[in-house]
Amino acid sequence: MGYAKPSARIFIAGDLGPGLAVTPERAQGHYLTHVMRLAEGDAVALFNGRDGEWRAVIAGGGRHAVTLACETQTRPQRAEPDVWLAFAPLKKTPTDFLIEKTTELGVSRLIPVFTRHTATERVKVERLRAHAIEAAEQCERLSVPEVAEPVTLERLLAEWPAGRTLLVLDETGGGAPIAAALAENATTPPCHGILIGPEGGFSFNELDALRKLAFVTPVGVGPRILRAETAALAALSCWQALVGDWR
Ligand code: SAH
């Protein structure tokens, strides 16, 4: 017996399993009943990043709370490719765009990084997390990328985990073409990070310091200077196509 695909899909923090009752957050309940106009018995798809995707039905709802009953698993959990994106925060609109699009492109961790020429001083991490959740719900991911607390570039590099390559998007043309660098670095499974500079670019000292690190590979994405958010999407797309899950 086949079911129609649920019209709504939401991220749940708690556990999902056969027969489990799930109470979505208030805003999600509002979305299900008032925006999507779903009623008791209607199906909703749920995921939590651990237990795969589940078909649930609206079991009941008062004015303020909706209860969902988990029925069957529709997709088993599978690991997302392991690719981090460290980016210098941009203005509000391009940052929101970057979060949404890189979530669709399958980034596993997003790290706001303050560099010398980063123009934005404050980052509302909770807002970025909410955007990541929304994008994950919409694009049918089975997980939400983690949005890390902002760090300085120095700290990012000092705490960079052993065994993870960092591709630094170097707009000065000093790096290898990204495809060539990925072909050389294609370990199985690849475990990479990508670092994008701010609109003002990396400072001379930053690039100099980055190039000296053994885990850093400077790369280029062509002869044109891209906006930071374009560079992020271009680099992630290359990564997914050459060493990620687009193959
Ligand atoms: N203000 C700088 C450009 C910064 S572009 C200048 O005029 O030179 C913002 C970021 O996007 C850069 O720091 C770099 O990480 C990335 N980027 C843009 N175009 C790129 C390219 N062609 N190759 C590699 N990285 C690029």
Side-chain angles (χ1 to χ4, degrees):
M1 184 174 73
Y3 288 114
K5 199 165 159 179
S7 56
R9 185 172 189 271
I10 59 174
F11 174 77
I12 294 291
D15 292 339
L16 301 173
L20 285 184
V22 174
T23 310
E25 296 200 0
R26 243 181 111 140
Q28 293 175 317
H30 175 86
Y31 165 75
L32 295 177
T33 53
H34 292 93
V35 180
M36 298 306 292
R37 307 224 158 255
L38 300 180
E40 213 169 308
D42 285 339
V44 180
L46 309 178
F47 68 109
N48 64 2
R50 304 184 301 275
D51 301 320
E53 186 177 76
W54 287 75
R55 183 183 192 276
V57 293
I58 298 186
R63 269 172 70 78
H64 298 300
V66 170
T67 315
L68 300 165
C70 242
E71 288 190 335
T72 45
Q73 194 189 53
T74 46
R75 286 161 70 197
Q77 188 68 35
R78 75 179 171 79
E80 299 281 345
D82 187 5
V83 60
W84 298 1
L85 178 76
F87 65 99
L90 307 161
K91 293 204 178 93
K92 186 172 171 288
T93 306
T95 301
D96 291 352
F97 176 87
L98 181 144
I99 300 292
E100 180 181 304
K101 301 308 171 199
T102 58
T103 300
E104 291 174 34
L105 290 172
V107 73
S108 64
R109 188 161 193 252
L110 289 156
I111 314 167
V113 180
F114 292 110
T115 65
R116 171 94 200 281
H117 297 312
T118 302
T120 307
E121 272 154 36
R122 283 225 240 124
V123 183
K124 292 188 180 141
V125 175
E126 282 316 313
R127 242 214 23 239
L128 303 189
R129 287 182 180 143
H131 276 297
I133 289 175
E134 228 175 84
E137 289 173 341
Q138 179 270 328
C139 76
E140 307 204 352
R141 272 180 74 135
L142 290 171
S143 68
V144 175
E146 182 198 344
V147 182
E149 289 298 325
V151 285
T152 60
L153 179 59
E154 274 141 30
R155 196 162 146 213
L156 177 85
L157 299 175
E159 292 174 0
W160 194 256
R164 185 177 290 272
T165 305
L166 179 60
L167 304 174
V168 175
L169 276 271
D170 176 353
E171 74 270 18
T172 66
I178 190 167
L182 283 172
E184 259 175 46
N185 278 276
T187 49
T188 358
C191 132
H192 283 156
I194 296 171
L195 171 65
I196 313 284
E199 280 314 322
F202 290 113
S203 75
F204 177 83
N205 288 342
E206 284 171 340
L207 274 180
D208 194 48
L210 282 164
R211 288 182 186 130
K212 287 183 180 138
L213 296 168
F215 57 85
V216 164
T217 306
V219 297
V221 286
R224 290 161 295 274
I225 300 292
L226 309 180
R227 291 217 181 236
E229 67 274 24
T230 316
L233 305 193
L236 260 178
S237 302
C238 291
W239 192 90
Q240 288 289 19
L242 295 168
V243 297
D245 66 6
W246 289 3
R247 287 171 298 164

